[in-house]
Amino acid sequence: MSQSINFKRHRRLRSSNAMRSMVREHHLRTEDFIYPIFVIEGENIKSEVPSMPGVYQLSFDLLLDEVKEVFELGIRSVIFFGVVSEKDEIGTGAFAEDGIIQQATRLVKKEFPELLVVADTCLCEYTSHGHCGVIHNHDVDNDESLQLLAKTAVSQAEAGADIIAPSNMMDGFVAVIRQALDEAGYSHIPIMSYAVKYASAYYGPFRDAADSTPQFGDRKTYQMDPANRLEALREAESDVAEGADFLIVKPAMSYLDIVREVRDNFNLPVVAYNVSGEYSMVKAAAQNGWIDEKALVMEKLTSMKRAGADLIITYFAKDVAKWLKEDN
């Protein structure tokens, strides 16, 4: 080839695995992951979620074994979701002193004090109608719901939760919860806000796992329109002003542009929620032999870090932790 032709030789930095590792810009670590766990009432229950292979509803007597495995894999954060049989119009189980999440938190923090317990703060798993707040005239009453969410957050903090994660998407939820926590003596407890939560079709398997499907209508009057980008920035800006300490973008896979927007505009830790539908699609394809599951999952989660996520809530956390150990 003529020496007069000048071009960049980018392949020099891809010449070997060692070279590629040296210049790799983003990495996955077990410390990046928050592992979701579904806690169910009863005894000796380990019930696999049909639409989420490898994910289980676990009763209290089996919960510590699960958490022990998580901790030994190097994962240092979990988020609990409750599955209850008794529900009512206002979701009393969410803020009861002996509520399922409160009991799970006390149990786990006693045995694993170094594990960070994130408490999902919402009412949908505990309401008979499946919505995230109090219903009046077939609509969620924003301000009345806020008072119950504040009670829920305080009860979770009293139980020992390290982080409060409100997922309800009511206007003003961060401000009201922050004030309630401060007044109750929990000014040191951070809020991991579901700041940008879209009304997504990717949530279907989760609603099987948590038994939280709305009994009428949908959640589009409080969760965001998937077509909107600027609205995400307005939502995040409000939560930052109200006192959020982390910003969650949910879902992650189809919203990496939003993860990047949030990362570029705010200096708080950004959390990507790799949701149930994203998980189940990969598991289904892997079970059919259509994909290399490990390669695809590692690529997908790395893309979330590349987009700007500091942390990832993912059902793949245990799988990836095992793969990372194997690779090392």
Side-chain angles (χ1 to χ4, degrees), residues 100-204:
I100 191 167
I101 297 305
Q102 289 79 356
Q103 292 185 63
T105 300
R106 292 188 188 98
L107 177 66
V108 169
K109 288 300 293 184
K110 180 180 179 181
E111 298 297 325
F112 298 92
E114 297 304 311
L115 184 75
L116 288 174
V117 172
V118 182
D120 179 75
T121 306
C122 198
L123 304 178
C124 62
E125 296 144 52
Y126 310 94
T127 55
S128 53
H129 46 73
H131 280 282
C132 301
V134 179
I135 298 295
H136 290 310
N137 298 319
H138 287 270
D139 190 24
V140 176
D141 186 307
N142 190 93
D143 295 6
E144 187 173 342
S145 300
L146 289 176
Q147 303 311 309
L148 299 181
L149 292 162
K151 287 179 65 175
T152 301
V154 171
S155 74
Q156 292 169 337
E158 288 174 344
D162 298 288
I163 299 172
I164 299 300
S167 60
N168 52 88
M169 287 299 285
M170 297 296 109
D171 291 337
F173 69 90
V174 173
V176 171
I177 289 173
R178 182 73 273 160
Q179 181 180 10
L181 289 171
D182 292 352
E183 290 177 352
Y186 298 105
S187 60
H188 62 289
I189 298 294
I191 294 176
M192 181 180 287
S193 169
Y194 284 70
V196 181
K197 183 177 180 180
Y198 286 91
S200 172
Y202 284 104
Y203 302 153

Side-chain angles (χ1 to χ4, degrees), residues 1-9:
M1 183 178 293
S2 171
Q3 294 301 308
S4 63
I5 299 177
N6 185 30
F7 53 85
K8 303 289 185 181
R9 294 193 177 273

Side-chain angles (χ1 to χ4, degrees), residues 37-306:
I37 298 177
F38 296 95
V39 186
I40 192 170
E41 297 169 327
E43 295 182 356
N44 197 33
I45 297 174
K46 185 176 182 180
S47 177
E48 188 172 33
V49 180
S51 56
M52 299 180 71
V55 173
Y56 297 86
Q57 298 170 331
L58 297 165
S59 53
F60 289 120
D61 53 324
L62 302 180
L63 178 60
L64 290 180
D65 288 340
E66 176 78 355
V67 172
K68 183 175 185 286
E69 180 187 8
V70 167
F71 195 80
E72 289 178 347
L73 285 170
I75 299 164
R76 291 295 177 260
S77 306
V78 297
I79 183 168
F80 289 143
F81 299 97
V83 184
V84 298
S85 56
E86 293 187 11
K87 306 186 180 192
D88 59 30
E89 288 293 306
I90 63 171
T92 303
F95 48 85
E97 183 179 354
D98 62 348
I100 191 167
I101 297 305
Q102 289 79 356
Q103 292 185 63
T105 300
R106 292 188 188 98
L107 177 66
V108 169
K109 288 300 293 184
K110 180 180 179 181
E111 298 297 325
F112 298 92
E114 297 304 311
L115 184 75
L116 288 174
V117 172
V118 182
D120 179 75
T121 306
C122 198
L123 304 178
C124 62
E125 296 144 52
Y126 310 94
T127 55
S128 53
H129 46 73
H131 280 282
C132 301
V134 179
I135 298 295
H136 290 310
N137 298 319
H138 287 270
D139 190 24
V140 176
D141 186 307
N142 190 93
D143 295 6
E144 187 173 342
S145 300
L146 289 176
Q147 303 311 309
L148 299 181
L149 292 162
K151 287 179 65 175
T152 301
V154 171
S155 74
Q156 292 169 337
E158 288 174 344
D162 298 288
I163 299 172
I164 299 300
S167 60
N168 52 88
M169 287 299 285
M170 297 296 109
D171 291 337
F173 69 90
V174 173
V176 171
I177 289 173
R178 182 73 273 160
Q179 181 180 10
L181 289 171
D182 292 352
E183 290 177 352
Y186 298 105
S187 60
H188 62 289
I189 298 294
I191 294 176
M192 181 180 287
S193 169
Y194 284 70
V196 181
K197 183 177 180 180
Y198 286 91
S200 172
Y202 284 104
Y203 302 153
F206 174 92
R207 292 172 183 172
D208 291 341
D211 188 25
S212 61
T213 302
Q215 298 304 298
F216 67 89
D218 52 41
R219 295 178 176 146
K220 293 180 180 179
T221 64
Y222 44 103
Q223 296 178 1
M224 291 173 49
D225 185 339
N228 292 352
R229 180 182 66 86
L230 295 178
E231 183 182 10
L233 297 179
R234 295 196 297 270
E235 288 280 0
E237 183 178 30
S238 294
D239 287 7
V240 171
E242 292 172 16
D245 300 285
F246 302 79
L247 300 173
I248 298 176
V249 176
K250 180 182 180 183
M253 189 168 68
S254 291
Y255 297 85
L256 295 182
D257 58 323
I258 305 301
V259 174
R260 172 48 58 186
E261 291 272 13
V262 172
R263 169 75 288 148
D264 287 347
N265 283 275
F266 305 99
N267 59 8
L268 296 179
V270 175
V271 185
Y273 197 143
N274 177 211
V275 300
S276 60
E278 299 168 2
Y279 172 88
S280 296
M281 289 191 299
V282 172
K283 284 293 184 181
Q287 287 180 346
N288 280 283
W290 296 337
I291 59 168
D292 179 333
E293 181 180 358
K294 176 182 175 181
L296 191 149
V297 170
M298 298 296 278
E299 179 179 344
K300 181 173 74 167
L301 297 185
T302 301
S303 76
M304 296 171 195
K305 294 292 295 290
R306 189 185 66 241

